[in-house]
Amino acid sequence: MAALRSLIYAAVFYPATALWVVVGVVISLFGRAPTLAVVLSWVELHHWLAKHVLGIRTRVEGSIPPGQYLIAVKHQSMFETIEMVRLTHLPVIVLKKELADIPFFGWMTRRYGVIAVERSAGAKALRSLVKEGERAIATGRPVMIYPEGTRVAVGETPELQSGFAALYRALGLPVVPIAMDSGRLWDRGLVHRDGTVTFKVGETIPPRLKREEIEHRVHAAINALELAPEARA
């Protein structure tokens, strides 16, 4: 049944995404507000398909505050990269530059509002991250980052990438850390299992802490759900 559900999901979501991108590129010529509306409608489509086709439900423990924050999220699958846009009020998103360079899709992401990071560029990438982050502040929107830098498997708790501390220092925003456990249902394979994905909102962390302290607190908060898969089934 999971395989059939996943096939139906893919048959609807990916062609629909291509259509949304084409429409979005045209709509984006009329400004950012229409672009945000198109992106939100795509996000809502994904949420509906995940819930009604895949049987994946979302539970939020705690409250994600409105306003401008640096939102740091655990990253285990594609699921949260879309669902978090819905849950966090259309944030500016830190993502790898390869995604922002995809034809048409990349244009849409830049019009939506992203901070594109070239992960292999070292100090140059950090300077670009800080510069684009400062521009994001001017929008008044929250900024969302996956501080581990890439998807990790269930149970893995790698150290945070250096870009997180650099962005935290540059933006001067409080941090809302969010743990989640999507990897139990949605791994790197093509078959997605039904169940509930939990997003656990941690205590808001103030700005201007020392690097060691902010990294320690965020690391602990985003890994708050790292239990054995059977413990949260």
Side-chain angles (χ1 to χ4, degrees), residues 214-231:
I214 185 60
E215 288 186 337
H216 173 75
R217 292 179 64 171
V218 169
H219 185 272
I222 68 172
N223 288 298
L225 296 178
E226 282 309 292
L227 304 176
E230 61 270 18

Side-chain angles (χ1 to χ4, degrees), residues 146-218:
Y146 296 93
E148 294 163 316
T150 189
R151 287 182 297 176
V152 300
V154 173
E156 290 185 356
T157 59
E159 294 301 314
L160 308 187
Q161 295 293 306
S162 58
F164 168 74
L167 191 61
Y168 168 76
R169 183 173 59 252
L171 299 185
L173 293 176
V175 178
V176 177
I178 300 179
M180 58 90 234
D181 58 359
S182 67
R184 299 179 303 107
L185 309 178
W186 190 308
D187 55 24
R188 292 177 183 267
L190 299 177
V191 177
H192 312 307
R193 296 173 291 279
D194 66 310
T196 299
V197 174
T198 297
F199 291 86
K200 183 178 177 62
V201 184
E203 180 182 352
T204 300
I205 303 171
R208 293 179 290 278
L209 298 178
K210 292 183 178 179
R211 176 173 178 175
E212 182 178 354
E213 182 177 359
I214 185 60
E215 288 186 337
H216 173 75
R217 292 179 64 171
V218 169

Side-chain angles (χ1 to χ4, degrees), residues 27-82:
I27 293 296
S28 68
L29 299 175
F30 297 94
R32 176 153 289 168
T35 304
L36 295 179
V38 170
V39 171
L40 185 58
S41 67
W42 174 71
V43 167
E44 292 291 351
L45 169 69
H46 181 267
H47 177 75
W48 189 93
L49 289 172
K51 180 177 181 179
H52 297 285
V53 176
L54 295 176
I56 297 177
R57 297 166 298 280
T58 297
R59 177 176 62 225
V60 179
E61 296 181 359
S63 178
I64 300 173
Q68 195 169 45
Y69 294 88
L70 178 58
I71 301 172
V73 189
K74 182 75 179 177
H75 189 18
Q76 293 181 341
S77 75
M78 185 184 84
F79 178 80
E80 63 272 6
T81 64
I82 303 176

